[in-house]
Amino acid sequence: MSGPLRRLAVAARINPLWARVQHKLDTVVAVRTDPALQGVRDRVEHVDAGLRAELQAGLDALRRTVDERCDALADDVRRLEDEVRRVSDELAGLREQHGRVSFDVDRIGPHVAALEVRIADRERAETPVEVGSPGNLTEARRLLDDVVREHERIRVRFSGIALYEERLRKLEAARWPGPATGADGAGTA
């Protein structure tokens, strides 16, 4: 505000005559506008009360839905925790069983290899080798013995591996039955 307008505002505040005129104007304006404004106030309060009730009902419904969903999620979490505990227990059992099987394979492997060597020695002793000259006979016998020994070592290793693989297959089939392992879960370890 500047200049004359400001002086007028200051004078109106100080001047008692202007204060009475202002009061009269406010009364006239209030008498003419109050009935119309009262209708607007009533509608606003009615809409406000209805809207408030509607919002409260919506909020209550939302709260119930959230509570139900939280309860369902808590049930799911408990069920998953139980499943994890069950799987952990089964895994611990499988590890223990794997340890026993591995120990047995390691313990039995040398015995099986020794038995296969003994069987191969008996088979070799029964089959004579014929060679044209005596010098070639010694060399042929030595080469044949080397081949047979190497063959026995390989057979022992493969049989140990095959036993181990078969046991693992059975353990996997028992733990994870279904199409992934090609088993129906009937075989047990």
Side-chain angles (χ1 to χ4, degrees):
M1 286 174 133
S2 67
L5 190 56
R6 190 158 136 217
R7 275 183 282 189
L8 182 61
V10 170
R13 284 191 201 134
I14 296 174
N15 189 344
L17 178 65
W18 179 255
R20 278 186 296 195
V21 170
Q22 182 66 42
H23 180 66
K24 245 337 177 180
L25 283 172
D26 289 344
T27 305
V28 169
V29 168
V31 167
R32 300 223 174 162
T33 58
D34 270 351
L37 287 177
Q38 187 60 37
V40 171
R41 281 189 197 113
D42 290 344
R43 283 193 310 211
V44 166
E45 285 177 11
H46 174 69
V47 168
D48 191 32
L51 183 61
R52 191 175 310 132
E54 184 180 324
L55 288 175
Q56 187 63 43
L59 183 60
D60 291 342
L62 181 62
R63 187 173 287 131
R64 279 190 305 274
T65 302
V66 168
D67 287 344
E68 290 169 1
R69 190 63 190 135
C70 284
D71 291 343
L73 287 174
D75 290 342
D76 289 344
V77 166
R78 279 190 293 277
R79 198 169 36 258
L80 287 173
E81 287 173 345
D82 292 343
E83 182 68 17
V84 165
R85 272 192 293 279
R86 186 187 63 77
V87 168
S88 294
D89 292 344
E90 286 181 10
L91 183 61
L94 285 174
R95 283 186 179 147
E96 182 180 326
Q97 191 174 11
H98 175 264
R100 285 193 307 265
V101 168
S102 179
F103 175 77
D104 288 344
V105 167
D106 290 344
R107 185 177 55 84
I108 293 174
H111 297 291
V112 172
L115 286 174
E116 286 192 0
V117 167
R118 289 176 65 191
I119 290 171
D121 285 343
R122 288 188 180 220
E123 288 174 353
R124 188 177 44 220
E126 295 174 2
T127 58
V129 176
E130 294 185 25
V131 179
S133 70
N136 289 340
L137 178 63
T138 308
E139 182 64 22
R141 174 69 74 181
R142 189 186 62 74
L143 287 175
L144 184 60
D145 287 343
D146 289 344
V147 169
V148 168
R149 271 194 303 275
E150 191 61 34
H151 180 336
E152 289 169 4
R153 285 187 206 129
I154 291 170
R155 187 173 24 161
V156 167
R157 288 179 186 145
F158 279 145
S159 66
I161 291 170
L163 289 172
Y164 185 73
E165 295 260 338
E166 179 63 19
R167 185 65 179 158
L168 279 179
R169 187 196 61 75
K170 287 180 181 178
L171 287 173
E172 288 172 352
R175 172 57 186 101
W176 295 289
T181 59
D184 59 349
T188 57

